[in-house]
Amino acid sequence: MADPRPPHDPSAPPSTGKPKAWGGVFEQATDARVEAFSESVSFDKRLADDDIDGSIAHSAMLASCGIITAAEAEAIRAGLEEIRAEIHAGTFTYTISKEDIHLHVESALTARLGDTGRRLHTARSRNDQVATDLRLFCRRAIDRLDAGLAALQRAFLGFAEREADLIIPGYTHLRRAQPVLAAHQLLAWCEKLGRDRDRLADCRKRTNILPLGSGALAGTSLPIDREHVRAGLDFAAVAANSLDAASDRDFACELAFVISLAGIHLSQWAEEWIIWSTEEFGFLKLPENFCTGSSIMPQKINPDVLELVRGKSARTIGNLQSLLVLLKGLPTAYNRDLQEDKEPLFDSIDTLEAILGVAAPLVAGTSFDRARIGATLDRGHLDATSLMEALIASGTPQRTAHETVGKLVRRAMRKGVSLEELADEEFSADCAGWNGALRSALGASRAVGRMASFGSTAPARVADQIKVWQQRLGASGA
Ligand code: ARG
């Protein structure tokens, strides 16, 4: 059916005709299409709390510097708290004619306080204001994300504690490689998430800098005290260059990157567990309340939560890309393009929080199928490297030992048996220095038991690492 709408509607919708905070110089009311096109309040209303916190600190500073009176600052503070309460209660009205959250809060204040409200924007621009709000928002988000990542680490640690003695096949190229402790593999996620948390902490340092006081781009001639605002908002330092500070979004890119790398880690984890929980692998039993069914195939119990962890991480990568491309063409100081930084950044934060919200309980509810794992553990010659290292330890050059064990594996493959099942004569046929003591290198659990190096899957090393993580994380999620 043809689209009933005309391809292009030439008639301009009426302007809302509402006066603008910046409207003094204008003779024409803003076109309604421009109001709809340029508004940001539909998404930047999420900055309301940070905007109000910033304005309270700013007005307190204005009073301490004698730019407004103490009574005015107090009236502004009380008015802003009332506005905050209205916003939290859902009774605050938004309209696109007021563009963004900053103008909404300010105009609601002016509606209450008249001229006192009209003093709030003294020595401030929306350019340094939005940069401040966004940093406050990111700082809070970083702290929540860190707590979420820590909770997931605790869940992995708890799982590692529960399965401390379980040996599973380790894989490279998704082919059986060497046996490892399940706990070792689970702690690998603690390491990756630990680096994500380190990166968050590092990003927090560069986020925690105060831009307010930079004005539109050049600072202000008014006698402000930026240190006062810094202390009030608990920033670590005051930004040193107003041109840079009003337009710097490095912190937003960094946060989006840290989130996307965490998203990639979580996607890798999800992929691994999807594979491990297939009928074909049968290693993991996922909690049924974290699986979903099929509307046509009655027997299906699908790992949709893990698939969505993997799927949702894609948007965090896209969001990072959007931010980088947004910034690459901008000349110095504020450009309205910067308004477009919020949606990708918010989406990345929301996405990672959503993933973390389901990941930790999913890990806590998952168990290994020890019987299935044990039944096939001796397939795939997981002990071949162990035997090679035993030969090396008894003096054989590595390349010779490698070739010898390769031949033994081929012999076992032809017979359809494990290395352990070969007879001594068969070993001797390929291995000049064969002696029965070398059998102590065979079998998955003996191979794991012989491991020694720091960072390896040696049971004592893994037990040490469990203790290290217990100390780092406090209680586990066990
Ligand atoms: N809504 C704007 C943003 O998010 C606020 C700053 C607007 N500044 C300006 N000069 N138009 O970037």
Side-chain angles (χ1 to χ4, degrees), residues 22 38-41 43-44 47 99-103 125-131 216 249 334-342:
W22 38 257
S38 57
E39 68 84 23
S40 57
V41 70
F43 50 89
D44 69 16
L47 298 175
E99 271 185 50
D100 56 28
I101 187 63
H102 324 293
L103 295 178
S125 151
R126 273 184 298 156
N127 301 351
D128 56 348
Q129 186 179 358
V130 70
R249 296 293 183 275
Y334 184 83
N335 296 272
R336 188 65 176 269
D337 315 46
L338 289 174
Q339 182 166 291
E340 293 290 310
D341 60 2
K342 289 166 205 67

Side-chain angles (χ1 to χ4, degrees), residues 31 34 91 101 103 143 205 230 316 325 353 452-453:
D31 190 294
V34 171
T91 53
I101 187 63
L103 295 178
D143 294 345
K205 287 186 214 153
R230 183 206 65 72
T316 68
V325 176
E353 281 198 279
S453 59

Side-chain angles (χ1 to χ4, degrees), residues 363-434:
V363 171
T366 298
S367 55
F368 279 102
D369 188 336
R370 290 179 156 249
R372 279 281 296 265
I373 292 168
T376 61
L377 193 58
D378 279 326
R379 285 194 201 152
H381 311 291
L382 295 166
D383 49 2
T385 309
S386 172
L387 178 58
M388 179 192 73
E389 291 192 341
L391 288 170
I392 293 169
S394 63
T396 311
Q398 192 271 343
R399 283 290 160 228
T400 311
H402 188 285
E403 198 182 337
T404 301
V405 176
K407 285 185 179 145
L408 289 168
V409 168
R410 175 56 65 177
R411 186 183 283 277
M413 282 165 67
R414 267 193 237 108
K415 284 186 79 180
V417 298
S418 68
L419 283 171
E420 254 186 311
E421 288 166 316
L422 291 176
D424 284 332
E425 310 82 73
E426 291 170 301
F427 277 111
S428 299
D430 288 322
C431 179
W434 175 257

Side-chain angles (χ1 to χ4, degrees), residues 105-248:
V105 171
E106 189 189 329
S107 84
L109 187 73
T110 300
R112 279 176 164 75
L113 304 181
D115 272 352
T116 299
R118 295 173 73 86
R119 292 188 194 282
L120 169 64
H121 209 54
T122 305
R124 181 176 87 169
S125 151
R126 273 184 298 156
N127 301 351
D128 56 348
Q129 186 179 358
V130 70
T132 304
D133 292 3
L134 199 57
R135 283 171 185 269
L136 290 170
F137 184 91
C138 287
R139 198 173 69 178
R140 292 192 291 124
I142 286 169
D143 294 345
R144 287 196 310 276
L145 291 173
D146 183 65
L149 288 166
L152 182 53
Q153 285 181 308
R154 277 193 283 275
F156 279 119
L157 174 61
F159 199 3
E161 289 166 352
R162 291 197 296 282
E163 301 289 354
D165 62 335
L166 175 66
I167 296 174
I168 60 173
Y171 291 79
T172 65
H173 311 267
L174 207 53
R175 298 286 189 276
R176 288 188 172 223
Q178 289 181 270
V180 295
L181 285 175
H184 193 50
Q185 182 118 6
L186 294 167
L187 290 185
W189 298 115
C190 286
E191 295 284 344
K192 290 180 201 299
L193 299 175
R195 288 193 298 277
D196 293 330
R197 294 181 63 198
D198 287 348
R199 275 184 283 269
L200 271 182
D202 200 48
C203 163
R204 195 185 194 284
K205 287 186 214 153
R206 280 177 295 278
T207 303
N208 202 20
I209 307 287
L210 173 73
L212 202 65
S214 297
L217 74 164
T220 176
S221 61
L222 295 162
I224 60 168
D225 176 0
R226 298 186 65 199
E227 173 55 29
H228 192 286
V229 181
R230 183 206 65 72
L233 294 174
D234 198 25
F235 278 104
V238 175
N241 183 307
S242 62
L243 286 164
D244 173 48
S247 57
D248 171 20

